[in-house]
Amino acid sequence: MRYFIQFAYNGTHYHGWQFQPNASSVQETLNKALSILLNTPINVMGAGRTDTGVHAQEMYGHFDVETPLEVPNLIHKLNSFLPKDIAIFNILPVHDEAHCRFDATRRTYEYHINTVKNPFLEELSWYFNQKLDVDLMNEAAKILLLHTDFQCFSKVNTDVNTFDCTIFEAYWKQENSKLIFTISANRFLRNMVRAIVGTLVNIGLHKISLDDLENIIASKSREKAGFSVPAHGLYLTEIDYDYLSL
């Protein structure tokens, strides 16, 4: 039987989602907990990869077991067993061919910038106190919706077949001393959101123009795009599936 697992994590103390030798990962931590509690080897496939220090307010994985699970009991045991920076929300039976990565129709990320120094947000947002032109950054964000090839924002030497992504929405919102960038798409390239944010910040600083952004996208060159902002301000916030309604 196949199950989807819905969970969240603070990525501060992990080297990303995916298993890595000699480094702590969310995937390894979750696999160990499930394997111990179910008394059988469990390997959770994740809906995507998050880098070192990136957080997830909503993440999905799937795993297979031979017998039906007592879901409420397992959720309670997992939340008691797992470290405090990983929380399980739900475990859902799905059809045998369901795939948490390939079946996702939409993913949403947020990037959090804190404009006032706050020690309690040190690992949860990027502290950046230079004046930004948020209106211009929102004009730039609208330009992203007009394109599909985002090779310029992709990590180089990545093993993808296409750099095409359909962006559904992209916008900045000011909340007191916090600035939040939200972006949704059918898929994302490695390092794409952090590179986009760095480029939009350069626009907000008036270092580059809206025309420059068009030229950067057309160039398909990562070197021409902006810097990659720090990982600890990035959150995976939502993943959508056609057959799930929560």
Side-chain angles (χ1 to χ4, degrees):
M1 296 186 64
R2 177 157 292 183
Y3 286 86
F4 269 28
I5 183 168
Q6 181 195 32
F7 57 101
Y9 54 86
N10 179 323
T12 301
H13 301 297
Y14 298 98
H15 286 72
W17 156 258
Q18 193 168 8
F19 175 83
Q20 298 181 48
N22 305 316
S24 177
S25 70
V26 179
Q27 184 180 37
E28 179 187 23
T29 305
L30 190 55
N31 284 351
K32 284 184 177 179
L34 280 165
S35 298
I36 290 171
L37 293 176
L38 296 177
N39 198 30
T40 187
I42 298 292
N43 183 37
V44 179
M45 165 66 70
R49 290 185 290 191
T50 57
D51 291 335
T52 299
V54 175
H55 316 291
Q57 292 179 349
E58 179 179 73
M59 178 64 149
Y60 281 93
H62 74 247
F63 63 94
D64 298 322
V65 290
E66 293 185 2
T67 57
L69 301 176
E70 295 181 13
V71 169
N73 187 43
L74 180 58
I75 292 173
H76 175 75
K77 287 184 176 179
L78 278 170
N79 280 323
S80 299
F81 189 85
L82 285 164
K84 60 185 178 181
D85 48 14
I86 301 176
I88 308 301
F89 298 140
N90 210 345
I91 298 175
L92 307 154
V94 291
H95 60 87
D96 290 344
E97 300 302 316
H99 199 288
C100 65
R101 179 183 174 191
F102 299 138
D103 293 353
T105 57
R106 181 185 181 113
R107 294 173 171 86
T108 302
Y109 282 89
E110 289 182 359
Y111 193 84
H112 292 207
I113 295 176
N114 203 43
T115 59
V116 175
K117 189 174 183 180
N118 185 335
F120 301 105
L121 296 176
E122 178 63 26
E123 298 298 335
L124 299 174
S125 67
W126 178 37
Y127 170 52
F128 187 82
N129 65 352
Q130 295 184 52
K131 177 67 175 176
L132 291 170
D133 187 337
V134 179
D135 289 337
L136 189 62
M137 290 161 68
N138 266 321
E139 288 301 310
K142 292 176 184 176
I143 291 173
L144 299 173
L145 277 63
L146 305 177
H147 297 270
T148 55
D149 187 328
F150 294 105
Q151 184 172 353
C152 66
F153 297 126
S154 173
K155 192 171 185 177
V156 296
N157 300 322
T158 187
D159 56 347
V160 296
N161 297 321
T162 176
F163 294 97
D164 284 353
C165 308
T166 300
I167 296 180
F168 305 120
E169 61 178 357
Y171 61 90
W172 292 89
K173 181 172 62 174
Q174 185 89 42
E175 293 183 355
N176 298 318
S177 62
K178 182 173 281 189
L179 188 59
I180 300 174
F181 177 63
T182 300
I183 184 167
S184 297
N186 65 330
R187 63 189 290 265
F188 287 93
L189 306 167
R190 288 200 67 187
N191 204 57
M192 178 175 165
V193 180
R194 291 165 62 193
I196 286 175
V197 173
T199 304
L200 297 185
V201 165
N202 280 340
I203 288 175
L205 292 169
H206 296 165
K207 289 184 175 181
I208 60 174
S209 67
L210 298 182
D211 287 340
D212 290 331
L213 176 59
E214 292 277 13
N215 293 332
I216 288 168
I217 295 172
S219 76
K220 303 184 180 184
S221 170
R222 178 66 188 91
E223 290 183 357
K224 294 185 182 302
F227 64 103
S228 180
V229 291
H232 60 264
L234 184 61
Y235 295 75
L236 174 60
T237 60
E238 189 174 355
I239 307 175
D240 294 339
Y241 300 90
D242 288 341
Y243 48 77
L244 288 188
S245 57
L246 298 174

